[in-house]
Amino acid sequence: MINIPLIQVKNVSVTFQSKKQTIHAVKDVTFDVYEGDIFGIIGSSGAGKSTLVRTLNRLADPTSGEIDVNGVNIATLSGKALQNFRFKMGMIFQNFNLAASKTVYENIAFVLKAAGKKGEAVKSRVQELLTLVGLSDKADAYPAELSGGQKQRVGIARALANDAKILLCDEATSALDPQTTTAILELLKQLNRDFKLTIVLITHEIDVIKKICNRVAVMSNGKIVELNDTFALFSQPQQAFTQSFLNVDENTLLPDNIKNNVKGTLIRLRYIHENATQPILYQSAQLTHVEFNILHGFIEYFNDRALGNLVVELIGKPDNIQALIQLLKDHDVIIEDIS
């Protein structure tokens, strides 16, 4: 079966004027998002990611290029058709964007009424949404009475009110503490799983990408510099910028006083797939008569996939060390000499 993209971004650029200066915010960006994806776009401040995501629901228009959603060029939409399109593409924000003078119930009911719903249909849908996001007891509360996590849950309920099939998240966890961030990400994963909700998530937080996204694009200076399956991107980033931005090497840097005392061959190992939890190094060292000293190590989990990282000193005859390295490579271990 052919997997047809739900969102197709084709050679999109966004240029605007600011104080007599031309800003090239997005430069010739192309990518696809498939139904059921949790697609991350990560980059530092000013990379162009927020401008890019706003083009997906026509809050900003591309200067050039095309965006198709469900096979429809969204630039052709106007009036009622554009409004209906936006109902199906919800959006949540870093600062929640709730109406302070309205209760939780009223904040959600507002978008339902805008879509033409009335009376009992509004009431029952609001209660359904509040139950879904775990706020069934907060209908009469005002935003000022809520925690940051509760506000974002209201934002999610409001974004999904009119049966949105796509959710855009613009730095949606940046204002939250780590524990609350984890709870919101779990909620998003649940919605993705239970309703096949497609999520496009903009963030500068690497841990957010690791915890929730199945695919990710890395942006810098308005361009996508690398795009891949999240696990593949973190285990084998191809571009120097990606390696630097994701701190791939920083996680396994050794203090100088340790590195300077290493007498053997110093290597960095990255275990992928099921190898991350298997004693491959020990078994290979036994076979090749090489001693090893683990200087640093940890395992990261990407949903149900493990990525192991080790920095190891190898002690033995050069031929034996090369034989050990070859055995590890035969088990799909990624190896880098950092002596």
Side-chain angles (χ1 to χ4, degrees):
M1 186 177 69
I2 299 174
N3 195 6
I4 300 174
L6 179 61
I7 301 171
Q8 294 178 286
V9 177
K10 306 174 184 178
N11 304 110
V12 164
S13 296
V14 181
T15 303
F16 55 88
Q17 293 295 131
S18 176
K19 296 181 180 179
K20 299 181 180 180
Q21 181 183 9
T22 301
I23 306 295
H24 299 281
V26 178
K27 306 172 186 175
D28 196 28
V29 165
T30 296
F31 64 90
D32 294 335
V33 178
Y34 296 91
E35 184 178 9
D37 266 351
I38 303 181
F39 185 92
I41 302 176
I42 191 168
S44 55
S45 178
K49 55 191 186 297
S50 290
T51 300
L52 175 60
V53 79
R54 288 167 64 87
T55 66
L56 300 184
N57 62 357
R58 293 275 308 275
L59 288 179
D61 284 321
T63 306
S64 60
E66 181 178 323
I67 298 171
D68 294 349
V69 178
N70 259 334
V72 176
N73 181 353
I74 65 173
T76 65
L77 301 176
S78 60
K80 190 69 173 179
L82 178 58
Q83 183 184 48
N84 289 336
F85 162 74
R86 285 177 172 156
F87 286 148
K88 299 301 179 183
M89 186 177 284
M91 191 166 187
I92 58 175
F93 306 87
Q94 177 179 354
N95 295 318
F96 319 121
N97 285 16
L98 302 179
S101 62
K102 295 182 182 294
T103 65
V104 167
Y105 179 96
E106 291 167 340
N107 266 279
I108 301 171
F110 176 80
V111 294
L112 290 164
K113 292 175 182 177
K117 296 181 176 63
K118 298 178 181 179
E120 188 59 35
V122 172
K123 183 178 179 180
S124 61
R125 180 58 175 159
V126 172
Q127 291 301 330
E128 179 185 358
L129 289 160
L130 289 176
T131 299
L132 181 66
V133 300
L135 294 177
S136 56
D137 60 337
K138 297 294 183 182
D140 296 326
Y142 287 88
E145 301 173 293
L146 303 178
S147 67
Q150 289 171 332
K151 290 176 184 177
Q152 197 57 282
R153 288 173 183 269
V154 177
I156 292 169
R158 182 183 58 184
L160 301 181
N162 289 303
D163 299 311
K165 304 302 181 186
I166 301 169
L167 180 64
L168 308 180
C169 306
D170 190 3
E171 297 283 4
T173 59
S174 296
L176 306 177
D177 62 74
Q179 185 176 2
T180 305
T181 292
T182 297
I184 292 297
L185 295 180
E186 286 300 319
L187 174 60
L188 292 176
K189 286 166 69 173
Q190 177 190 338
L191 295 170
N192 168 261
R193 181 177 60 251
D194 293 350
F195 302 103
K196 210 170 184 180
L197 180 69
T198 302
I199 299 172
V200 179
L201 187 147
I202 303 298
T203 186
H204 66 275
E205 299 175 290
I206 293 171
D207 284 344
V208 169
I209 294 291
K210 290 179 179 179
K211 287 177 180 177
I212 193 172
C213 296
N214 65 298
R215 297 172 62 231
V216 59
V218 181
M219 283 195 76
S220 176
N221 295 321
K223 297 181 178 180
I224 289 181
V225 296
E226 192 161 351
L227 190 159
N228 210 334
D229 166 273
T230 302
F231 186 86
L233 189 79
F234 278 88
S235 61
Q236 300 184 74
Q238 299 300 305
Q239 303 299 320
F241 175 84
T242 309
Q243 295 169 11
S244 175
F245 182 77
L246 299 181
N247 295 319
V248 169
D249 295 334
E250 293 293 327
N251 289 332
T252 51
L253 282 180
L254 297 176
D256 287 340
N257 64 321
I258 294 178
K259 189 171 182 178
N260 292 338
N261 287 320
V262 170
K263 304 302 181 183
T265 300
L266 194 61
I267 61 172
R268 179 187 291 113
L269 312 178
R270 291 195 181 96
Y271 296 78
I272 58 177
H273 309 309
E274 67 278 0
N275 290 341
T277 56
Q278 299 298 316
I280 295 170
L281 175 60
Y282 174 79
Q283 293 169 349
S284 300
Q286 290 285 98
L287 289 172
T288 55
H289 307 290
V290 173
E291 296 180 359
F292 64 89
N293 182 23
I294 296 176
L295 303 177
H296 182 72
F298 61 94
I299 295 178
E300 294 181 287
Y301 291 93
F302 299 76
N303 293 321
D304 59 346
R305 303 171 74 184
L307 173 62
N309 288 270
L310 287 180
V311 175
V312 178
E313 178 187 14
L314 302 179
I315 302 166
K317 296 178 180 179
D319 287 349
N320 290 358
I321 289 175
Q322 287 305 311
L324 168 62
I325 289 174
Q326 187 58 53
L327 275 177
L328 294 174
K329 287 181 177 179
D330 290 343
H331 285 89
D332 296 323
V333 178
I334 302 165
I335 300 175
E336 179 185 358
D337 190 327
I338 56 174
S339 297

